Amino acid sequence: AREAAERIETTLERLGLPVRLPPGSDQMLPWKIVEAARHDKKGRAGRIVYVLPSSVGEMARGPDGYGIPLEDVLAAEVLKEMA
């Protein structure tokens, strides 16, 4: 899994896409990002659903298709790791 993550990160960097939160993102707290996502198209009945990969080229499926509800605490933790 780590090898696949590194491969994906390298590919995204080569394409000029971000792989980390931008500098100064300490002011953009993970909880602010989670709250903003709640008002985005990802919000469903006050909960955020995510489309997540299960492996390279495959998406995980939830009970209602590809959208998987994820607890806000877990989403914020992942965002902290990206900083």
Side-chain angles (χ1 to χ4, degrees):
R2 183 71 186 144
E3 183 180 307
E6 289 172 358
R7 231 175 54 231
I8 291 168
E9 185 173 322
T10 299
T11 300
L12 293 172
E13 286 173 337
R14 285 184 187 154
L15 293 170
L17 297 170
V19 294
R20 301 273 182 272
L21 293 174
S25 62
D26 52 332
Q27 296 173 11
M28 188 175 19
L29 299 172
W31 286 106
K32 287 185 179 181
I33 297 171
V34 170
E35 185 58 33
R38 197 177 302 291
H39 301 290
D40 187 77
K41 63 184 177 189
K42 295 165 205 62
R44 303 275 189 280
R47 294 207 51 188
I48 306 168
V49 294
Y50 299 85
V51 178
L52 304 169
S54 56
S55 64
V56 176
E58 290 191 34
M59 301 310 289
R61 291 186 66 95
D64 297 318
Y66 290 110
I68 299 173
L70 185 66
E71 294 298 322
D72 291 349
V73 172
L74 183 55
E77 186 65 32
V78 170
L79 289 166
K80 282 182 194 175
E81 288 181 26
M82 291 177 64

